[in-house]
Amino acid sequence: MSYTIGGETGPWELVIGLEVHAQIISKSKLFSGAATEFGAEPNSQVSFIDAGFPGMLPVINRECVAQAVRTGLGLDARINLISRFDRKNYFYADLPQGYQISQYDQPIVGAGTVEIELESGETRSIGITRLHLEQDAGKSMHDQHASKSFVDLNRSGVALMEIVSEPDMRNPEEAGAYLRKLRTILRYLGTCDGNMDEGSMRADVNVSVRKPGEAFRTRCEVKNVNSIRFVMQAVETEARRQIEVWESGGVVEQETRLFDPARGVTRSMRSKEDAHDYRYFPEPDLLPLVLDETWVAALKNDLPELPDAKRARLVRDFGISAYESAIFVMERATADFFETVAKGRDAKLVANWMLGDFFAALNRTGRNIEDSPVSAKNLGALLDLISDATINGKIAKEVFEIMVETGDTPGAIIEARGLRQVTDTGAIDTAIDRVLAANADKVAEYKSGKEKLFGFFVGQVMKAMAGKGNPALVNEALKTKLG
Amino acid sequence: MSLDPAMVRRIAKLARIRLADDEVPRLQGELNAILGYVEQLAAVDVDGVAPLTGGAQMTMRMREDRVTDGGIPDHVLANAPDRIGDFFAVPKVVE
């Protein structure tokens, strides 16, 4: 059953396409030697090129080109060996050149695809129309002063990839899944850090609605949505607005809008009325970008294993479920962590621990996998101590919590706190005898058929042994004694 | 191709050039003359000729990814009509 929004005149389908601006990871800018680091002092990473001074000439950064090619390859897209730069002209305070060097009709990367996974377990293929290279603009701040906007040009000239999808998505979930997947791919490739908070990944959302079976209707573009959750909200909000316009006899105008997450509405950006007249023309300061086929082949050869391939391999090599694997491959560091721990161990046990206590601990402590308080080595050591019966599963959870707090090795914790599992049958028998003697009434009940009480006895014995009894041995000895 | 007065005004607006009404006819004439001049090129048969993007028989050179510039906020801000701290200060842009 496909997703629709019900209006007064019946169900409406959504048509969604995304334009994602992804900041390229590089040391210096696309056309200048100024640094790209985030958060530097204002205007400290600006060359005369980035500030639009007259007479300055752009020279392209090879690494930025390589990053765009890697991304194209990671999106299974055609790499255009000849591409070209154009000027996109518009006026804004943070665009000192008065134009953005971009690519118009000959982008560096052509059509590709992204596979997305949905909650239902289904996968869908979303088409990529193109990817092109362009300069980022500077940054304006409107909330620092009563009558002035502040402009910082540190971001001006940083390399961006604009990744344009086909209008292939049909609901908010698909839009979210597409963004997440794209982000994962970019992070695997190391071409963009995907950090939406810092604005290194931003999305423009194109939305239209139609009656099932119709051709496309007019779309609106919702600009600069800066989180995956907001993209999903913006899609729905804008679709509902358009449905209302159509159903009240109006006509949706093609326009640029802004999403206001606080008020849950989109509103028209009047300043962009003329914005679609960019008067593109070929950038006269740059020759065509011609790529060497062998260079592209070498980049392809050096690509890391990508999420789809890794997901399939983890299932194949470790016997974990597709669902578990999909969670691990969302971040490369998580998949690496899993592989390190699972190598030579019971992978199912590793997966259970990671998806359970381990992720819970990361969430609780607000840490991520890179600065996890429990290293892969230590988690592995803990699981080894369970496997060789040094500790039981219950004590292991206790030890794990201490590891989270202290970062100590499980061996050291177990020795220091005397948590080693008791496998001495003499000690187990003594504990059992004491428990049975103290609960003679319950023993009688058990013997008269109330077998449910067995669990009670196990609990009491474990309690008497401070949780350190070997559960299998305790069970066995209890069964014998209770005859 | 011929520009009408409305198009002349639109081009001027996009270029942020203020035009007085009496300037429009003169500019319309000049722009149309330039377009007419360039339009002569349309008479040339270029079937099968690859577009030429420059006089030099070369492709674009690339530079290595090294930080070689920046760290000169005072030079960058030297021509700013107004600055506050190391920011350019511009009339408030209301969105």
Side-chain angles (χ1 to χ4, degrees):
Chain A
M1 183 56 196
S2 62
Y3 178 98
T4 53
I5 293 181
E8 283 166 18
T9 59
W12 292 82
E13 271 181 12
L14 277 57
V15 178
I16 306 151
L18 292 174
E19 291 169 25
V20 172
H21 290 89
Q23 223 174 60
I24 286 176
I25 296 176
S26 64
K27 296 189 189 78
S28 62
K29 294 183 180 178
L30 181 54
F31 295 115
S32 90
T36 58
E37 219 168 294
F38 182 81
E41 290 299 308
N43 290 308
S44 65
Q45 296 178 166
V46 183
S47 78
F48 291 147
I49 296 170
D50 313 317
F53 278 37
M56 303 306 298
L57 288 175
V59 185
I60 201 165
N61 180 339
R62 180 190 302 276
E63 176 61 11
C64 294
V65 176
Q67 293 286 56
V69 171
R70 288 184 190 108
T71 307
L73 293 168
L75 299 174
D76 223 1
R78 196 184 68 239
I79 306 300
N80 293 326
L81 295 179
I82 299 175
S83 67
R84 219 182 61 181
F85 287 93
D86 298 273
R87 286 188 183 179
K88 177 180 181 178
N89 300 279
Y90 67 94
F91 280 101
Y92 202 75
D94 56 25
L95 188 77
Q97 286 171 152
Y99 58 85
Q100 182 186 25
I101 303 179
S102 181
Q103 297 190 295
Y104 186 54
D105 57 354
Q106 294 184 49
I108 185 167
V109 175
T113 50
V114 169
E115 295 290 327
I116 60 168
E117 295 91 35
L118 302 170
E119 257 172 55
S120 60
E122 267 178 275
T123 61
R124 280 206 61 201
S125 190
I126 306 298
I128 299 290
T129 313
R130 59 183 281 168
L131 174 157
H132 67 253
L133 274 168
E134 62 184 24
Q135 299 174 298
D136 207 343
K139 202 172 170 183
S140 303
M141 276 157 277
H142 308 298
D143 54 1
Q144 308 285 313
H145 191 277
S147 60
K148 301 280 182 187
S149 288
F150 286 11
V151 178
D152 174 12
L153 297 181
N154 280 348
R155 204 178 64 185
S156 168
V158 170
L160 287 182
M161 299 178 279
E162 178 169 329
I163 304 166
V164 183
S165 86
E166 292 288 314
D168 283 350
M169 288 155 273
R170 294 288 175 269
N171 60 55
E173 187 201 351
E174 290 179 4
Y178 168 79
L179 264 182
R180 260 195 300 277
K181 186 58 177 286
L182 187 59
R183 182 174 179 275
T184 300
I185 292 172
L186 296 174
R187 285 172 58 82
Y188 267 64
L189 292 165
T191 58
C192 170
D193 67 21
N195 191 331
M196 296 187 87
D197 293 338
E198 291 178 2
S200 43
M201 195 170 141
R202 318 189 279 275
D204 298 342
V205 187
N206 286 292
V207 182
S208 64
V209 297
R210 64 175 175 185
K211 291 296 183 81
E214 273 186 357
F216 293 152
R217 296 196 184 198
T218 310
R219 67 187 158 84
C220 289
E221 181 183 15
V222 186
K223 274 251 176 234
N224 268 335
V225 190
N226 61 6
S227 83
I228 291 172
R229 193 163 56 91
F230 287 165
V231 165
M232 295 169 69
Q233 287 173 6
V235 164
E236 198 182 330
T237 305
E238 175 58 15
R240 288 188 188 281
R241 183 192 71 85
Q242 290 181 16
I243 291 168
E244 220 178 286
V245 170
W246 290 119
E247 291 195 332
S248 62
V251 175
V252 170
E253 303 280 348
Q254 180 165 347
E255 62 175 351
T256 305
R257 301 179 67 85
L258 270 182
F259 178 58
D260 181 343
R263 294 172 48 217
V265 295
T266 68
R267 60 186 160 86
S268 185
M269 271 175 92
R270 304 220 178 273
S271 63
K272 294 272 178 181
E273 264 169 18
D274 288 322
H276 288 286
D277 200 343
Y278 289 126
R279 295 153 297 144
Y280 282 97
F281 65 86
E283 166 58 75
D285 290 340
L286 292 167
L287 288 158
L289 177 58
V290 180
L291 306 180
D292 181 23
E293 223 170 329
T294 57
W295 185 66
V296 173
L299 290 173
K300 185 167 189 173
N301 206 37
D302 288 342
L303 286 189
E305 182 184 36
L306 289 167
D308 289 342
K310 196 185 280 284
R311 192 183 67 231
R313 184 176 59 77
L314 293 186
V315 170
R316 201 170 57 237
D317 289 1
F318 291 97
I320 59 173
S321 73
Y323 169 79
E324 291 165 334
S325 188
I327 292 175
F328 292 146
V329 302
M330 282 219 290
E331 293 287 343
R332 192 166 158 183
T334 309
D336 289 348
F337 192 102
F338 168 75
E339 278 200 72
T340 309
V341 183
K343 202 160 193 173
R345 295 196 176 90
D346 174 357
K348 200 72 202 168
L349 179 70
V350 175
N352 286 342
W353 266 85
M354 281 186 65
L355 294 171
D357 297 71
F358 180 74
F359 282 165
L362 289 185
N363 270 335
R364 198 176 60 238
T365 54
R367 309 273 279 269
N368 57 40
I369 194 111
E370 279 97 354
D371 69 344
S372 162
V374 175
S375 67
K377 198 172 154 221
N378 283 352
L379 181 60
L382 178 68
L383 302 185
D384 288 343
L385 292 168
I386 303 173
S387 300
D388 70 9
T390 305
I391 52 173
N392 63 37
K394 186 163 173 295
I395 292 290
K397 284 180 186 286
E398 245 177 72
V399 173
F400 178 79
E401 293 310 322
I402 300 168
M403 290 165 73
V404 172
E405 259 170 52
T406 63
D408 288 345
T409 66
I413 293 167
I414 289 164
E415 287 317 318
R417 308 193 181 214
L419 295 172
R420 191 173 279 275
Q421 173 163 252
V422 177
T423 50
D424 170 5
T425 49
I428 292 173
D429 285 345
T430 311
I432 291 176
D433 289 342
R434 222 181 302 136
V435 167
L436 297 187
N439 296 283
D441 50 337
K442 294 234 166 50
V443 173
E445 278 180 54
Y446 178 82
K447 288 195 168 159
S448 65
K450 209 172 170 192
E451 291 186 5
K452 270 194 300 193
L453 280 169
F454 190 76
F456 165 79
F457 293 121
V458 173
Q460 289 299 308
V461 173
M462 289 301 271
K463 197 174 160 194
M465 301 184 72
K468 291 184 286 184
N470 175 311
L473 293 177
V474 168
N475 271 285
E476 203 185 303
L478 255 175
K479 273 198 185 116
T480 315
K481 298 230 179 223
L482 288 167
Chain B
M1 187 177 173
S2 166
L3 304 178
D4 61 16
M7 183 56 87
V8 171
R9 286 201 181 85
R10 180 166 167 75
I11 291 167
K13 187 182 171 204
L14 288 169
R16 298 295 191 274
I17 294 172
R18 183 180 297 149
L19 283 190
D21 282 348
D22 60 357
E23 290 176 294
V24 174
R26 181 172 58 81
L27 274 164
Q28 183 187 358
E30 287 178 8
L31 286 171
N32 278 327
I34 293 167
L35 286 174
Y37 172 69
V38 175
E39 225 162 40
Q40 294 178 73
L41 289 171
V44 182
D45 179 6
V46 289
D47 274 0
V49 181
L52 185 69
T53 44
Q57 288 294 314
M58 55 188 292
T59 56
M60 182 151 57
R61 289 188 47 187
M62 303 195 212
R63 51 169 242 281
E64 295 310 310
D65 183 24
R66 277 195 295 270
V67 176
T68 56
D69 210 337
I72 46 167
D74 283 331
H75 292 295
V76 167
L77 288 153
N79 299 313
D82 191 8
R83 66 183 273 186
I84 294 177
D86 279 346
F87 290 102
F88 291 89
V90 301
K92 193 153 193 145
V93 183
V94 183
E95 195 50 80

